[in-house]
Amino acid sequence: MNRIGISGRIAKAFIRSKLTPLIVIAALLSGIFAVIVTPREEEPQIIVPMIDIMVSFPGASAKEVESRVSRPMEKLLWEIKGVEYVYSIARPGMNLTIVRFYVGENMEDSIVKLYNKLMSHYDIIPPGVSQPIVKPRSIDDVPIATFTVWSGRYSGYELRRIALGVCDEIKKDKDVSETSVIGGQRRQVRIILDPARLRAYNISSFQIISSLQKANFVLPSGAFSTGNREYLVDTGQFLRNSSDAGAVVVGVSEGRSVYLRDVASIKDGPEEPSNYVFMGLGPAVAAKGVDQKFSRAKEYEAVTFTISKKKGANASIVAAGALKKIAALRGTYIPSDVQITTTRNYGETAKEKSDELLEHLLIASLSVIILIALALGWRESIVVAVAVPVTLALTLLVNYLYGYTLNRVTLFALIFSIGILVDDAIVVVENIHRHFRMHKIDSLTAALAVDEVGNPTILATFTVIAALLPMAFVTGLMGPYMRPIPVGASAAMIFSLLIAFIVSPWMSYKVLRRIETGGHGEEKTGLERIYEAVLGPLIDNRRRRIAALGAVLGLLALALLMIPFKVVKLKMLPFDNKSEVQVIIDMPEGVSLEKSASLAGEVGEYLKTVNEVTDYQSYIGTRSEERRVGKECSEGW
């Protein structure tokens, strides 16, 4: 008994222990918990701190901004530890400096270091230069969902107000970081001065600006007590509408007050358009559930709003919560004749990817179990059917505790590791089965069988880990992107080794009790006889061996030729499941907004003829025109 190694001792300790089934149950429950609570995203979240620094220098030329702001600031920023790149854009009157830190640098620490560097040098800011505005940027700033508000009745100005109200409600979700609205016209009180009246009353435009600034404020003016109560007094009020603006006194003429309405016309309404958003419907619009009363022959003025999630939040849950909130706002914030179309939902696509990979993970596990049943027997397959899910469950728990999300890289790592993590359980089960056939069936026999293959199993496991771990030390952007593969696969191998020494002997002792004993382990199965019948003639005959080797090389050559002839597509990760296409129209400088809108409309007319298109949106004056294609669109369109 003293000669039993560490693997045999572990097996002996757990083979009859009451804790072993509890370990199995706890591991499976932990895996289910990890799948439920782990955030689901499309790609691994790569931390690359980027910070924008904006400075204004009114009246300065681009060359002055570069020499007095950009270059001195860059010299200071290069002194910060962890900075990889510094970019500057100098324009007349303003400067934008982008600081990019190394991959993996902590965002909060990077912001603090940058703030400290800037604040400690505020005293050397040239006269006329504003204090820097610092805005951090991260991958979580990218919107996970966009929704387009459109209607055949309301204008862009009205649709924008509806979208802002919906955004305010969605923003109440604790996992929503920010929302933004694109398109429509903001509310604006426009004051159009009448030059003739200004001359008649001897009032200048500067007097009017000064009067408006002085009238548009609220100032706390103290408090007084009366009737056993205290009252706070505020002086003045903010201008709320055109009537309030028109009632502002801007001057005095012949002993009479001159109001703003006397020298100007005042309009409370939408601002002058600076961009447009249009919604168009394609032939496949019925798939989106849009009311068929809307015509495909015209484009509708629209407004798009986006939502971004907070760091670590589950994208699919945040997007689903936004959709529920929009549905609940129908009839209150959202009129019944206003349509809201989901034009991007990365939460849904992330869930689709993770669900598909989890399904493939299940298929791969079942395939391995069926193969074991055919090769070793159904009793042995039961042992493997317990060992594989327990190993995967513990690996998923480690991914969650390590801060990884459920994305196509982490799940790819698990699918990749199934083929190797099952080896430990197979070796242990097969040897226990052999000893049970040769000797008596008891726990000591199983422990000795585990100990017999324990050292080679440990060596093989750590050999695989040693081959995978170097990938975890890759630097640059690909480092954190691919790191879940070596980390997840290595964790799976460690757990598979422990499960092979703890759970597999216990399960083998439970399910292999009824096999017949007294043999010498030399009986051949049906598969072994087929293998011997195929391999025997090749071993005995040299010509057959050479012919078989030539056939294998020929098949290998044919397989390799499939790559240049593009019979198969080589891709490490699955194809993307996005159902959208983006067309960017870069017009010459100085082209009017209406001209750009006209060209975008011509592109829209073509898209209306494409059968796979459900809807599209045109964004004019917002740097790009975006066209969205429905789920029915084929991958290669």
Side-chain angles (χ1 to χ4, degrees), residues 557-571 575:
L558 288 175
L560 294 176
L561 287 174
M562 297 173 75
I563 299 173
F565 286 104
K566 297 183 178 180
V567 178
V568 295
K569 295 180 179 179
L570 289 180
K571 204 170 187 295
F575 283 103

Side-chain angles (χ1 to χ4, degrees), residues 391 395 417 420-424 460-462 464-465 468 488-498:
T391 303
T395 307
S417 61
I420 53 178
L421 66 84
V422 76
D423 290 347
D424 295 343
T461 300
F462 282 96
V464 174
I465 293 175
L468 290 172
S490 299
M493 290 301 299
I494 293 291
F495 286 129
S496 72
L497 183 65
L498 295 175

Side-chain angles (χ1 to χ4, degrees), residues 363-378 381 384-385:
I363 293 173
S365 302
L366 292 176
S367 301
V368 169
I369 293 168
I370 294 171
L371 183 61
I372 298 302
L374 295 174
L376 296 180
W378 66 269
S381 68
V384 175

Side-chain angles (χ1 to χ4, degrees), residues 6 20-21 49 61 93 109 174 183 210 320 341 349 401 464 542 549 573 579 626:
I6 185 172
T20 308
S61 65
D109 292 345
K174 61 182 179 63
S210 177
T341 302
T349 55
L401 296 176
V464 174
R542 183 172 179 273
L549 180 59
L573 298 173
S579 56
E626 199 164 18

